[in-house]
Amino acid sequence: MPTKKIFFFDWNSNFDADLPAWAQDSKMFIGQYVSLRGLPTSWRNTKQAIASNRSGKVTNGFMKALIRAAMIDSGANADGFGLNDRYAMGEMTLDGTFTGTTINANGLVACVLYDRTTGKFLKSSGYDHKTNGSAPYFLALWNYFMESMPDFAPTFNNFCTEWKQSPMNEDVCRSMACVLADMVYEHVQSDKFLCCDKDEIRDLTETRMRSSTTKPAQYTGILAHFGQVTRGRNKSANPDGRVMSTADFCGKFSFRTEPLSAEQEKLVPKLTESYIVDEWLVLVCKHIQKTTGRPRPVRNILLRGAPGVGKSEMYTGIAAGCHLPLYTFAANAMTEPFDLFGQFVPVDENGEQCGGKMSLRQILKDMPSVEDFSMDPVYTYEELTGEKKSDATSLDCMAAAFTKASQQTATPSGQQRFKFVPGQLITAMKFGGVWGFDEVTLPQNPGVVPALNPAMDATQSITLPTGEIVRRHPDCIFVGTTNLDLEGCRNLNQAWQDRCQLIIDLPEPTEEVLKARVKSMVNWDETNDSKIVDLDRFISVYRSLQEIARKHRLEDGVIGPRKLADWVLSTLVTENPNQSAQITIIPGATSDARGIAEMKEKLEDSFPA
């Protein structure tokens, strides 16, 4: 891809003295910043897992726009950015204020308007980017970036969260600044972004700014010039991350041509208004709906992220948004390949079930092991059948073993002593629906996840142990979830991951999203519960406890939104945050004595007796 010259990218390698001290690390401005904690500093490396020291290169204009956008997001007394169907716009005060939320009201204001259909820029007279810097151009495009790049908004929200911390984690903010700068540069270099030459920039008149055509449909901060009669604040998305109401979302992305049966209708999730429909969920549902009818419609999805970021809630939302029944399977370390497809149960002389699930090892005793099926299927198949099959798979071995076991355990009347009962995966494959596969990296048997491969590629089928071939329904959606960094997780099978058409790395929730989720989980009573629990303070301490766990590399537990909700709920009972923390969030985080002591100290500082 040839490099485009974008006039507002000034590659001066020196930082501007107006920037705060943490943002004056010169390595960021030459593309050589390396995070002390090993955090990503390049968007391309983040998405493609390139092993290199390449860092996102920051410019003065971008860094100023990023910090000012964070100030605006935190409620600054001036400046803003917005968007409508045709234009993106921004207002930025040109002074050296890049901390807090107070901006010099007497400073020169630069207004910039960007026409998304032509790539033309207009700027207010008196503003010259050569003299005053290019930050207003970046700020004017901020809402456009948030809309055009799915990962930009959550990354920016995470930056804002860290930027507001006291003390601020400078390494985290520098790393995210590099990633955001890299993300923007990648986007403006693509064919999706239209941009005029610097000589084509025209002055923006007051009449044009106040025209109804340039009035923002959504905006963050204060846009006093673009069609706004009075100053106000209208976030581009609700602060809790909600992009549409639950009522509007449910069924909005339905694509099924045949009606659901009465039984299927019962399995379609019913979401309440407390469920947060965020941009990630809408993006996935759009892909599922809009690619229907194409040769390879989006039907295989992988969700990655830390515990509590909402992976299971997302596949529930996918089923609700697409109006499909939901089926689930939770893997564990002992999961075997055919646990995915169903289970074996004992039956009596009449073929009726007469007991609970039988282990595969019981049924296949005195035969090759399940591990043999995966490790050497060709030899194992010949051992079971006496026939050579050069392309034998673990599925073929299982079907052969099942047949042989059935013959060996037949009763005098000819009835089998066990039968195979298909699981929810097979129901979803036969009739359509969303199948949520939780913890795909937990099974220790390496053959578990690849057992799904035939259903996810051109074959679009699975062979059951009984020999039955099940064809995949066109409305069957696989959604896998994984926590890559948790103890006990294996590396994800590459062949299976390659079949996942969408791979979504869900970010840590912002403070406002955390609030909304916690309130939903504890059935928050705004009148009474707010008198006992200060959610803002709890979330601040929660972030500090996470930082302690990271600092000491405590990996024997989890500090996630669920534990935060447990702590809040317990405190509503005890009315004692310290006491409740010692039976919820702290023991859930670690059993390390040093880590526990430091966390308790943090709690005592935050909630003195």
Side-chain angles (χ1 to χ4, degrees):
M1 179 177 65
T3 301
K4 294 193 295 187
K5 291 184 178 180
I6 306 297
F7 68 87
F8 50 83
F9 268 96
D10 177 10
W11 295 114
N12 184 345
S13 60
N14 299 317
F15 59 80
D16 195 312
D18 286 344
L19 290 169
W22 70 266
Q24 293 187 19
D25 190 313
S26 59
K27 291 184 178 179
M28 290 191 293
F29 295 84
I30 58 175
Q32 293 183 4
Y33 182 73
V34 178
S35 166
L36 298 174
R37 289 172 43 193
L39 298 172
T41 56
S42 165
W43 180 240
R44 275 182 280 186
N45 288 5
T46 302
K47 300 304 288 182
Q48 300 177 14
I50 300 172
S52 76
N53 292 324
R54 180 188 181 280
S55 172
K57 191 173 181 180
V58 174
T59 67
N60 281 294
F62 180 82
M63 183 62 85
K64 287 184 175 182
L66 171 61
I67 298 174
R68 186 59 57 85
M71 296 170 67
I72 293 167
D73 187 80
S74 298
N77 64 311
D79 295 358
F81 48 88
L83 191 74
N84 63 28
D85 290 340
R86 179 170 179 175
Y87 296 103
M89 67 285 296
E91 297 180 14
M92 182 171 178
T93 305
L94 299 174
D95 69 0
T97 302
F98 294 99
T99 58
T101 57
T102 302
I103 297 172
N104 178 12
N106 297 318
L108 173 65
V109 176
C111 297
V112 173
L113 183 70
Y114 171 67
D115 190 330
R116 303 161 68 186
T117 63
T118 65
K120 297 291 182 66
F121 281 92
L122 292 90
K123 52 87 177 177
S124 54
S125 60
Y127 162 59
D128 179 5
H129 72 270
K130 293 180 181 179
T131 303
N132 304 114
S134 60
Y137 286 97
F138 284 107
L139 189 65
L141 292 166
W142 215 257
N143 255 136
Y144 165 80
F145 293 149
M146 296 176 78
E147 180 187 78
S148 303
M149 295 180 284
D151 296 325
F152 187 89
T155 307
F156 171 62
N157 288 337
N158 287 340
F159 173 87
C160 292
T161 299
E162 295 293 342
W163 178 79
K164 288 187 289 187
Q165 293 296 314
S166 181
M168 183 184 73
N169 190 316
E170 295 181 359
D171 179 51
V172 174
C173 288
R174 291 189 191 111
S175 301
M176 282 195 284
C178 290
V179 169
L180 285 165
D182 206 32
M183 197 185 306
V184 168
Y185 185 67
E186 286 286 293
H187 181 77
V188 300
Q189 286 295 309
S190 72
D191 294 335
K192 297 178 182 178
F193 183 75
L194 303 175
C195 185
C196 68
D197 186 75
K198 59 183 179 181
D199 296 329
E200 299 178 275
I201 302 172
R202 299 291 180 262
D203 282 347
L204 179 61
T205 65
E206 286 289 334
T207 302
R208 184 71 176 273
M209 279 189 281
R210 295 191 176 277
S211 168
S212 60
T213 61
T214 60
K215 183 175 182 178
Q218 57 185 40
Y219 63 97
T220 302
I222 300 171
L223 289 174
H225 296 79
F226 287 100
Q228 300 302 111
V229 177
T230 59
R231 291 179 176 246
R233 184 170 178 82
N234 172 27
K235 295 283 287 185
S236 58
N238 287 331
D240 62 3
R242 193 186 309 268
V243 296
M244 69 171 64
S245 70
T246 307
D248 291 338
F249 170 76
C250 290
K252 178 177 177 62
F253 299 95
S254 176
F255 58 90
R256 192 179 175 100
T257 55
E258 57 196 71
L260 298 179
S261 67
E263 288 302 312
Q264 287 176 312
E265 284 286 356
K266 293 178 183 178
L267 297 175
V268 177
K270 307 298 188 291
L271 305 181
T272 66
E273 279 302 322
S274 63
Y275 184 96
I276 297 175
V277 179
D278 64 16
E279 60 186 329
W280 293 103
L281 176 57
V282 171
L283 180 69
V284 171
C285 289
K286 280 183 179 179
H287 276 81
I288 293 171
Q289 182 190 53
K290 299 297 184 182
T291 59
T292 299
R294 292 182 179 271
R296 293 184 66 250
V298 171
R299 296 293 185 267
N300 304 325
I301 300 159
L302 174 62
L303 306 176
R304 302 188 300 202
V309 298
K311 299 183 294 294
S312 299
E313 288 86 349
M314 178 171 280
Y315 65 59
T316 301
I318 292 171
C322 296
H323 196 77
L324 290 172
L326 175 63
Y327 308 96
T328 61
F329 180 87
N332 57 56
M334 303 305 295
T335 297
E336 298 291 353
F338 283 86
D339 290 333
L340 302 179
F341 307 145
Q343 60 185 6
F344 296 92
V345 296
V347 295
D348 59 20
E349 293 280 339
N350 299 316
E352 298 297 326
Q353 183 174 342
C354 58
K357 175 184 176 182
M358 296 177 65
S359 74
L360 210 52
R361 298 182 189 278
Q362 285 179 279
I363 297 170
L364 303 179
K365 62 183 177 180
D366 302 323
M367 294 189 193
S369 69
V370 175
E371 287 77 9
D372 293 330
F373 296 167
S374 300
M375 300 300 293
D376 194 352
V378 174
Y379 175 80
T380 304
Y381 184 83
E382 183 176 358
E383 186 178 356
L384 287 166
T385 65
E387 301 176 1
K388 290 187 177 182
K389 184 176 172 61
S390 61
D391 59 348
T393 66
S394 60
L395 299 175
D396 296 325
C397 294
M398 184 60 69
F402 182 86
T403 300
K404 188 172 183 177
S406 300
Q407 294 168 349
Q408 291 177 353
T409 58
T411 65
S413 62
Q415 293 292 331
Q416 295 181 5
R417 290 181 181 172
F418 61 87
K419 66 179 179 180
F420 179 76
V421 179
Q424 292 191 335
L425 165 63
I426 303 307
T427 304
M429 284 194 61
K430 285 184 174 181
F431 307 109
V434 174
W435 184 64
F437 183 10
D438 276 319
E439 310 298 352
V440 298
T441 53
L442 276 184
Q444 296 305 296
N445 186 331
V448 173
V449 173
L452 292 170
N453 287 356
M456 298 172 66
D457 58 24
T459 308
Q460 293 288 290
S461 66
I462 281 177
T463 302
L464 297 182
T466 58
E468 177 187 358
I469 297 176
V470 179
R471 304 292 178 187
R472 184 174 178 180
H473 193 284
D475 300 342
C476 175
I477 299 167
F478 289 169
V479 184
T481 74
T482 182
N483 301 293
L484 294 179
D485 298 329
L486 287 190
E487 184 177 355
C489 291
R490 295 170 51 88
N491 289 329
L492 191 59
N493 180 271
Q494 292 179 330
W496 186 84
Q497 180 172 299
D498 184 55
R499 288 165 169 80
C500 293
Q501 297 151 295
L502 298 182
I503 300 177
I504 309 293
D505 289 318
L506 296 178
E508 286 280 348
T510 64
E511 290 183 22
E512 293 301 331
V513 171
L514 268 177
K515 282 185 191 178
R517 288 185 181 173
V518 169
K519 287 181 178 181
S520 176
M521 285 189 274
V522 304
N523 194 21
W524 182 264
D525 182 332
E526 199 67 53
T527 301
N528 299 312
D529 293 347
S530 59
K531 297 176 182 177
I532 301 172
V533 171
D534 180 348
L535 268 183
D536 288 320
R537 185 192 243 177
F538 270 60
I539 289 172
S540 177
V541 175
Y542 161 79
R543 298 288 194 198
S544 298
L545 298 183
Q546 286 182 318
E547 186 58 37
I548 291 171
R550 284 193 289 263
K551 180 177 69 174
H552 294 299
R553 300 184 182 276
L554 304 177
E555 299 176 349
D556 59 330
V558 173
I559 303 180
R562 293 189 190 94
K563 279 297 161 216
L564 173 60
D566 292 341
W567 180 28
V568 169
L569 184 61
S570 176
T571 304
L572 292 175
V573 174
T574 65
E575 299 190 15
N576 186 326
N578 290 306
Q579 181 185 42
S580 288
Q582 294 181 41
I583 57 175
T584 56
I585 196 167
I586 290 181
T590 185
S591 58
D592 178 79
R594 181 180 59 169
I596 290 174
E598 189 168 339
M599 289 181 185
K600 286 183 177 179
E601 183 179 347
K602 177 62 182 178
L603 279 161
E604 290 169 0
D605 290 341
S606 302
F607 299 100

